[in-house]
């Protein structure tokens, strides 16, 4: 059961309208790493979680908080669009400088949503469920969550420097602080799961099941010019295994020799052409 409360999680109050900034903030709302994505990702992971109630509870707690973040961004976008109208846009277009600024306004904010937020990114691309990860494997999902929070916080920090509006910045600071803590949460869960089952996903498919491939399991193949990559822990070893650096790895497989398809497939390979 979900219950809506009228108060926002944190106050949203802009100093002045800024339709162009509203367009940028659409990325934080409906972009690949926006609040809609983390909201849906955590909720679907929580709804599908099996076997351990504390992880399910954490996912539902954070996913539900993200619903509130979506509402905060919608309120922020609406306030930034206050006062924008087709008439004002037409009047501003008479001045070349203002026209260039107004050209950055998302026309869908005027035409489609009537000065409201939309479930789209800053370019008007609709939010896509393909942005989210909900695999049913807790460690894989927690790592995806850490990446999602990292990318989302990065984008908020970038847009933070695009405005001097202290009201907008205050809202962003709240989001940045919460995203910082969420990264800590996912890292804590990852650490706990790694200690329990190891660092490789899935833990239920052990190294010995790889059989003949095992000799190649810890090789680093240098396949680019230069050998700078040889100095990293991924090549020298990090304590999890005896890594082997190969500076000039040789192919281990055969040259593919596919069977020529039937003439009816019209590949026009040698010997199949009938019209010359």
């Amino acid at each position: 059961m979900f219950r809506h409360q009228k108060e926002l999680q944190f106050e949203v109050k802009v100093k002045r309208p800024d339709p162009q900034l509203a367009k940028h903030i659409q990325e934080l709302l409906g972009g690949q790493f926006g609040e809609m994505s983390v909201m849906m990702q955590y909720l679907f992971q929580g709804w599908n979680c099996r076997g351990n109630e504390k992880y399910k509870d954490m996912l539902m707690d954070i996913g539900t908080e993200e619903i509130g973040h979506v509402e905060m961004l919608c309120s922020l976008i609406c306030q930034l669009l206050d006062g924008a109208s087709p008439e004002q846009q037409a009047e501003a277009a008479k001045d070349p400088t203002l026209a260039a600024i107004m050209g950055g306004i998302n026309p869908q904010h005027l035409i489609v949503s009537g000065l409201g937020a939309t479930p789209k990114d800053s370019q008007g691309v609709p939010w896509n469920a393909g942005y989210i990860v909900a695999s049913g494997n807790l460690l894989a999902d927690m790592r995806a969550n850490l990446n999602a929070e990292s990318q989302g916080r990065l984008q908020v920090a970038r847009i933070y420097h695009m405005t001097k509006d202290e009201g907008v910045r205050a809202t962003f600071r709240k989001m940045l602080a919460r995203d910082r803590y969420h990264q800590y949460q996912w890292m804590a869960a990852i650490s706990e799961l790694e200690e329990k089952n190891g660092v490789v996903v899935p833990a239920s498919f052990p190294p010995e099941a790889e059989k003949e491939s095992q000799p190649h399991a810890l090789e680093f193949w240098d396949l680019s010019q230069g050998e700078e990559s040889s100095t990293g822990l991924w090549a020298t070893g990090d304590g999890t295994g005896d890594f082997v650096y190969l500076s000039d790895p040789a192919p281990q497989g055969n040259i593919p020799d596919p069977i020529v398809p039937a003439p009816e497939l019209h590949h026009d390979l040698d010997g199949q052409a009938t019209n010359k």
Side-chain angles (χ1 to χ4, degrees):
M1 179 180 72
F2 289 85
R3 180 182 288 115
H4 179 258
Q5 193 165 317
K6 290 183 173 63
E7 295 87 356
L8 298 175
Q9 183 182 19
F10 299 109
E11 184 177 19
V12 175
K13 189 175 182 180
V14 307
K15 296 296 183 182
R16 62 189 61 83
D18 188 341
Q20 191 172 24
L21 183 61
K23 176 181 178 180
H24 296 332
I25 293 175
Q26 281 288 157
E27 193 67 32
L28 306 181
L29 175 63
Q32 180 180 0
F33 297 107
E35 296 297 324
M36 286 184 62
S37 290
V38 291
M39 173 188 75
M40 295 295 280
Q41 180 158 307
Y42 304 161
L43 289 176
F44 269 93
Q45 289 176 8
W47 287 324
N48 295 336
C49 189
R50 300 167 183 260
N52 196 313
E53 284 300 312
K54 74 174 183 179
Y55 294 115
K56 180 182 182 73
D57 204 29
M58 177 182 68
L59 286 163
M60 295 305 300
D61 284 338
I62 304 176
T64 304
E65 178 181 354
E66 300 295 358
I67 299 177
H69 290 184
V70 168
E71 186 175 23
M72 285 172 60
L73 285 179
C74 287
S75 178
L76 185 61
I77 289 171
C78 286
Q79 290 185 36
L80 289 169
L81 291 172
D82 283 346
S85 69
E87 292 79 9
Q88 287 176 314
Q89 192 172 20
E91 183 64 27
K94 297 177 181 178
D95 183 306
T97 303
L98 288 177
I101 297 173
M102 295 294 284
I105 293 177
N106 181 356
Q108 292 187 344
H109 281 157
L110 288 168
I111 302 167
V112 178
S113 64
L115 303 183
T118 62
K120 301 176 182 180
D121 67 13
S122 58
Q123 300 301 307
V125 178
W127 182 84
N128 190 325
Y131 295 157
I132 73 169
V133 174
S135 71
N137 182 290
L138 278 172
L139 181 53
D141 283 351
M142 297 300 177
R143 287 173 173 170
N145 295 349
L146 178 58
N147 176 64
E149 289 286 352
S150 302
Q151 295 291 339
R153 188 171 189 271
L154 174 63
Q155 292 184 359
V156 174
R158 285 172 172 166
I159 296 183
Y160 180 89
H161 297 292
M162 294 181 182
T163 179
K164 300 298 183 182
D165 189 313
E166 184 56 28
V168 176
R169 284 190 159 194
T171 299
F172 283 168
R173 285 195 293 269
K174 294 292 195 303
M175 296 181 64
L176 288 162
R178 293 305 296 163
D179 287 351
R180 176 193 295 273
Y181 179 55
H182 289 164
Q183 288 186 44
Y184 291 152
Q185 289 178 309
W186 300 130
M187 285 189 285
I190 289 168
S191 178
E192 185 174 291
L193 290 166
E194 288 179 344
E195 185 175 352
K196 184 187 303 182
N197 295 323
V199 300
V200 177
V201 177
S204 52
F205 197 94
E208 54 269 21
E210 296 166 5
K211 295 183 179 181
E212 72 280 353
S213 300
Q214 193 59 35
H216 303 288
L218 301 180
E219 295 174 347
F220 181 89
W221 288 34
D222 188 334
L223 297 172
S224 61
Q225 187 176 16
E227 296 187 353
E228 288 81 0
S229 59
S230 66
T231 61
L233 290 177
W234 51 83
T236 61
D238 63 351
T240 61
D242 299 320
F243 294 176
V244 177
Y245 173 78
L246 301 181
S247 61
D248 188 23
Q252 301 292 309
N254 60 307
I255 299 175
D257 185 20
I259 296 173
V260 175
E264 290 78 7
L265 293 179
H266 301 289
H267 283 272
D268 287 347
L269 298 171
D270 291 346
Q272 290 187 350
T274 58
N275 296 321
K276 295 183 179 180

